[in-house]
Amino acid sequence: MKREASSPRPNFEAEAKKIGFDYAYADGEPYWEESARYVFSLAEIEDRLEAATAELNALCLSLVENVVEHDHLMRRLRIPECAFDVIRASWRRRDPSLYGRFDFVYDGKSEPKLLEFNADTPTNLYESSVVQWLWLQSQIARGELPQDADQFNSLHEKLVARIGEIAPSRLLHLCCMSKNAEDAGTTAYLAECAREAGLVTKLLDMSGIGLKHNEFIDPDWRKIEFLFKLYPWEWMFADSFGKSSAVGRTRLVEPPWRMILSNKGALALLWDMAPGHKNLLPCYFEDDPQVERLGAKYARKPIYSREGADIELVDGVCIARGETEGYGREGYVRQAFCPLPVFDGRRPVLGCWLVGDAPAGLGIREDKALITSNRARFTPHAIIG
């Protein structure tokens, strides 16, 4: 694994506009970075990153199997009791998952270590799937990369196939908070994948979902039977309509059982289940006496949080703090502090994608700060040799 300079395309802005990559720049700053690239060997991808993704996914499914049978574990994860039966029923039906993303710290030398699992509402999907693949093809065509350069990226074809597999009806509704450009872009991309799979799609803002006779309906009063929601389960169960029986009557993606894996408490339960696992970091609930094993150096993470918000890195004293967004009311975990490696002043987080249960790709975000925030840049990668 190495980071090296890369020649940007002179027409990138026009290309971004052409393919609908509307958030290539955020708040006037570039989000997409192609003056650099990360390069991996095939063995690093297959034997380290892809293998870790598959193994941890299997471990996560075993964890869900255990948690759904024990109310005290649901409560440990601060899941509201109104969600218990919905989650159990969803798991026992084996409601299918579409996708997820494991975020790893990896330096090319040691085993990748899991920082968190984005099991419910992961973004940076379109750039991982389409945008960096087109970049790779352009770099090869321009002679910037060898003809046999490749990428850990089968996301698009796997997403299309998976949506077709799990569709219970021909119409798929997709919803998000559409004022967020990245959320809207991710949702629009998945709608495109669904259309390729032969489905009819309807895009909605979250505010466009209604409730009638305990059924979700769209603004045209059509019943919603199959819904992709880029909206966290903990928010949904806090909403009044999230407590409706309509939740159990609608095929939702991601399904309710993913709520078990989408909070940081799952990191503590995974460590308890598989202590010493080569791809896990020691992690404990903050009120667990075993937390003292971490000493004075750890990452303090709210059970529910996103984009690095309200995370603290502690080395005797707090040395870094994410943006304050008000997370943490449900409690915290402490995870062993494993600093991100530094490449040319940048600290990359490697996001390894799953589609269904299959490893499907890699997206890299890098930041100068110790905590990766929503201002991190996406940097493409290539496999050479």
Side-chain angles (χ1 to χ4, degrees):
M1 176 184 178
K2 60 183 178 179
R3 186 182 194 269
E4 58 186 29
S6 185
S7 175
R9 288 168 285 179
N11 62 339
F12 170 69
E13 288 191 37
E15 284 296 311
K17 192 170 293 186
K18 181 179 174 182
I19 63 174
F21 188 27
D22 299 327
Y23 49 97
Y25 294 85
D27 300 323
E29 293 290 321
Y31 163 62
W32 172 264
E33 173 67 78
E34 63 176 64
S35 64
R37 61 188 177 228
Y38 284 87
V39 175
F40 298 84
S41 69
L42 183 59
E44 282 181 298
I45 294 295
E46 291 184 342
D47 300 340
R48 291 273 178 92
L49 296 170
E50 192 171 357
T53 300
E55 188 168 338
L56 288 179
N57 181 58
L59 193 65
C60 284
L61 296 180
S62 296
L63 178 65
V64 176
E65 183 73 50
N66 185 41
V67 171
V68 295
E69 299 302 328
H70 297 94
D71 283 2
H72 74 278
L73 292 178
M74 297 263 226
R75 294 189 186 100
R76 195 70 167 123
L77 294 172
R78 302 299 188 264
I79 292 172
E81 299 213 5
C82 66
F84 286 11
D85 289 342
V86 175
I87 288 172
R88 284 198 181 98
S90 170
W91 175 251
R92 289 168 182 165
R93 287 192 306 264
R94 293 301 192 266
D95 287 350
S97 167
L98 175 59
Y99 75 132
R101 193 188 74 232
F102 288 107
D103 283 351
F104 290 109
V105 53
Y106 180 62
D107 59 5
K109 301 168 187 174
S110 309
E111 290 289 341
K113 300 288 188 181
L114 180 65
L115 294 173
E116 62 180 74
F117 184 21
N118 297 272
D120 185 18
T121 57
T123 53
N124 69 71
L125 180 65
Y126 183 55
E127 49 271 41
S128 294
S129 176
V130 173
V131 182
Q132 72 168 340
W133 181 255
L134 293 176
W135 165 85
L136 179 75
Q137 301 307 307
S138 173
Q139 293 296 91
I140 292 171
R142 294 169 62 210
E144 296 287 338
L145 286 172
Q147 288 293 317
D148 61 351
D150 202 354
Q151 203 169 75
F152 180 19
N153 188 359
S154 56
L155 271 163
H156 186 78
E157 52 266 41
K158 281 187 167 70
L159 286 166
V160 172
R162 182 64 173 170
I163 291 174
E165 253 175 40
I166 68 177
S169 65
R170 190 163 174 264
L171 175 62
L172 171 64
H173 288 81
L174 303 99
C175 65
C176 68
M177 304 289 282
S178 55
K179 289 183 180 179
N180 181 297
E182 188 174 7
D183 286 7
T186 300
T187 307
Y189 171 57
L190 285 170
E192 179 185 327
C193 292
R195 289 191 291 271
E196 282 192 38
L199 276 67
V200 175
T201 63
K202 174 74 173 178
L203 290 165
L204 301 171
D205 185 79
M206 285 301 299
S207 63
I209 298 176
L211 187 64
K212 181 182 180 184
H213 303 313
N214 290 318
E215 303 282 3
F216 291 134
I217 58 171
D218 69 15
D220 298 319
W221 296 85
R222 284 180 299 189
K223 177 183 174 182
I224 297 174
E225 296 180 350
F226 185 26
L227 176 67
F228 170 83
K229 51 149 206 72
L230 200 65
Y231 190 77
W233 271 112
E234 65 268 23
W235 296 2
M236 194 156 176
F237 280 121
D239 293 339
S240 57
F241 72 79
K243 297 178 177 65
S244 163
S245 60
V247 172
R249 297 177 181 181
T250 308
R251 173 69 63 80
L252 287 141
V253 177
E254 291 298 310
W257 61 264
R258 298 289 274 191
M259 190 177 184
I260 291 171
L261 300 173
S262 66
N263 77 59
K264 308 298 188 300
L267 298 169
L269 295 183
L270 284 169
W271 182 254
D272 185 61
M273 174 185 285
H277 191 287
K278 66 181 180 180
N279 300 123
L280 293 176
L281 292 167
C283 186
Y284 306 95
F285 289 96
E286 193 166 59
D287 61 359
D288 184 340
Q290 294 185 88
V291 79
E292 298 302 324
R293 295 181 180 183
L294 298 178
K297 193 169 184 177
Y298 54 85
R300 184 177 189 246
K301 298 182 175 183
I303 286 176
Y304 293 115
S305 68
R306 281 171 167 73
E307 302 285 4
D310 295 294
I311 288 175
E312 295 178 357
L313 299 182
V314 176
D315 188 357
V317 296
C318 180
I319 59 172
R321 181 179 285 113
E323 291 187 8
T324 301
E325 296 287 350
Y327 294 113
R329 289 184 297 274
E330 297 83 3
Y332 292 82
V333 296
R334 292 186 188 180
Q335 185 184 55
F337 179 37
C338 185
L340 297 170
V342 180
F343 292 82
D344 302 327
R346 301 279 182 171
R347 295 177 167 86
V349 170
L350 275 60
C352 287
W353 292 95
L354 283 166
V355 175
D357 293 320
L362 170 65
I364 300 173
R365 292 169 302 142
E366 54 176 18
D367 208 321
K368 291 181 178 179
L370 290 170
I371 297 174
T372 307
S373 72
N374 60 3
R375 289 187 293 276
R377 295 186 181 184
F378 190 101
T379 306
H381 78 277
I383 302 170
I384 301 176

